[in-house]
Amino acid sequence: MQSVDSAAEQAEFDRKIAEEQKIEPTDWMPDDYRKNLIRQMSQHAHSEVIGMQPEGNWITRAPTLRRKAVLLAKVQDEAGHGLYLYSATETLGISRSELIDALQTGKAKYASIFNYPTLSWADVGAIGWLVDGAAIVNQISLQRTSYGPYSRAMIRICKEESFHQRQGYEIMYALAKGTPEQKQMAQDAMNRFWWPSLMMFGPHDSESAHSGRSMKWKIKRQSNDDLRQKFIDQTVPQIEVLGLEMPDPEIKWNEERGHYDSGEINWEEFYQVINGSGPCNHQRIKHHKAAHDNGEWVREAVRAYRAKQNQKAAESAA
Ligand SMILES: [Fe+2]
Ligand SMILES: [Fe+2]
């Protein structure tokens, strides 16, 4: 049975959620709300950071100086998104090293799309356009999430995501309107990234393990299927502008629904990739570990600096 105190706290929490007020780090919150947020926010942070790898792979091979500068800025933005989100997750009482450990040991997940390889320059275009495009649809909705630090991080992140989406579309546009070989590269990249982009919204609502409670707590504001439909509806006309063939032959405008119909996602592939058997899962984590280990000297310097400051403070207090 709940004590009088915790019943009052629960009631206060419920009132805030009902009235669309944000929950802040010092507010009381149910344990499961906290756990659910840590899972979702850290998964989001890991996705931003792991997502730097497939694109970072092309920085040295970008076709022009301008493309290189834009891609560098974009990949750096993703590092920044990871930092905002790790910091926001830490406000829930978990440390950065615990979060990184969960990623590296496979306890925490990240977006399955980043386990696919980037085979050509057109893939950088397809990622910016489709992957960042799908991320924006999700993140715009998360700007209204009930946890204050997460919501504020999303507002900042969305501003940068729309630039990411545009730079990707611009790459696709240049290729699609270029030589037949370039157009074919664009078509091939879109075909490969289309389905994994749709998978980014997660399983169907009926299959989604965490959706119900997350919606109740207003952590999630729109369902996976609604967000996926929104993405399809906004992207199909962009495919038409590019003059590319649809990546899914079942895409068709449905007058009655006022939405595009589309084919069924291969969910078996989704679960395989999420559970570690995608083409690049092993490589992504291996690279993350190596980069993290290489950065040990920075953490060591921070610790040494902190110890020195503490010592100075102790001396001046004495
Ligand atoms: Fe991002
Ligand atoms: Fe992005």
Side-chain angles (χ1 to χ4, degrees):
M1 224 178 79
Q2 280 189 323
S3 69
V4 178
D5 270 6
S6 69
E9 283 165 332
Q10 177 76 51
E12 175 64 3
F13 173 84
D14 292 342
R15 183 191 63 78
K16 282 189 185 145
I17 296 284
E19 293 178 4
E20 297 284 332
Q21 288 181 26
K22 298 293 178 216
I23 305 299
E24 295 299 337
T26 49
D27 292 344
W28 181 90
M29 61 188 88
D31 248 8
D32 283 347
Y33 176 85
R34 184 186 301 275
K35 276 190 205 140
N36 219 298
L37 269 174
I38 290 176
R39 182 190 54 76
Q40 182 174 331
M41 290 167 68
S42 66
Q43 185 172 314
H44 197 157
H46 299 324
S47 303
E48 300 282 355
V49 169
I50 294 290
M52 294 164 74
Q53 291 187 39
E55 289 179 292
N57 187 35
W58 280 90
I59 290 173
T60 54
R61 290 174 286 165
T64 66
L65 184 59
R66 175 173 166 270
R67 294 283 186 210
K68 189 196 283 273
V70 171
L71 183 57
L72 259 177
K74 196 260 187 199
V75 173
Q76 280 178 345
D77 282 353
E78 305 301 3
H81 298 173
L83 288 180
Y84 300 156
L85 287 166
Y86 281 128
S87 302
T89 315
E90 284 176 292
T91 65
L92 292 160
I94 187 162
S95 71
R96 184 80 59 99
S97 56
E98 285 173 290
L99 294 170
I100 301 293
D101 190 62
L103 169 68
Q104 294 188 341
T105 55
K107 266 185 264 154
K109 308 273 188 237
Y110 55 88
S112 62
I113 193 141
F114 300 122
N115 291 314
Y116 291 85
T118 39
L119 304 177
S120 77
W121 170 252
D123 288 14
V124 174
I127 288 179
W129 171 42
L130 297 175
V131 178
D132 291 77
I136 295 173
V137 170
N138 191 28
Q139 289 169 353
I140 284 180
S141 169
L142 284 172
Q143 289 180 345
R144 295 186 299 122
T145 190
S146 57
Y147 188 54
Y150 194 22
S151 159
R152 291 189 287 275
M154 282 300 113
I155 292 168
R156 284 190 70 160
I157 287 173
C158 278
K159 293 196 170 101
E160 292 173 346
E161 292 300 355
S162 57
F163 149 71
H164 298 173
Q165 200 260 356
R166 280 169 207 203
Q167 65 87 35
Y169 193 69
E170 199 215 353
I171 292 172
M172 292 300 278
Y173 193 88
L175 292 171
K177 305 293 172 185
T179 65
E181 289 82 1
Q182 287 174 320
K183 187 172 181 183
Q184 187 47 44
M185 265 171 71
Q187 179 76 52
D188 170 62
M190 179 186 68
N191 290 351
R192 280 182 291 107
F193 279 94
W194 175 255
W195 293 104
S197 300
L198 297 188
M199 293 176 197
M200 283 174 71
F201 295 96
H204 284 312
D205 299 335
S206 52
E207 309 285 323
S208 176
H210 306 286
S211 273
R213 264 196 326 198
S214 293
M215 293 283 277
K216 189 186 100 193
W217 283 326
K218 298 186 180 170
I219 293 174
K220 271 177 80 155
R221 304 306 309 255
Q222 281 174 288
S223 78
N224 295 353
D225 287 328
D226 285 352
L227 291 168
R228 184 165 23 240
Q229 182 71 60
K230 202 169 174 186
F231 173 72
I232 293 171
D233 288 347
Q234 77 180 36
T235 309
V236 169
Q238 295 169 354
I239 301 175
E240 284 165 356
V241 172
L242 293 176
L244 297 177
E245 277 169 40
M246 290 296 154
D248 166 6
E250 289 182 51
I251 289 177
K252 209 170 80 223
W253 178 250
N254 182 326
E255 193 64 52
E256 209 174 299
R257 289 202 311 126
H259 293 292
Y260 284 96
D261 289 338
S262 55
E264 188 53 37
I265 291 167
N266 178 352
W267 292 109
E268 202 180 312
E269 176 183 325
F270 172 76
Y271 286 111
Q272 266 180 15
V273 177
I274 275 279
N275 291 324
S277 308
C280 300
N281 297 54
H282 180 70
Q283 183 189 332
R284 299 292 184 240
I285 293 299
K286 194 173 145 204
H287 184 79
H288 189 277
K289 279 185 188 153
H292 192 69
D293 291 348
N294 276 336
E296 181 54 32
W297 67 273
V298 179
R299 292 185 292 279
E300 206 178 301
V302 169
R303 284 192 293 270
Y305 180 77
R306 198 184 294 144
K308 207 161 115 188
Q309 294 302 104
N310 287 346
Q311 198 187 344
K312 265 193 201 160
E315 277 166 15
S316 65

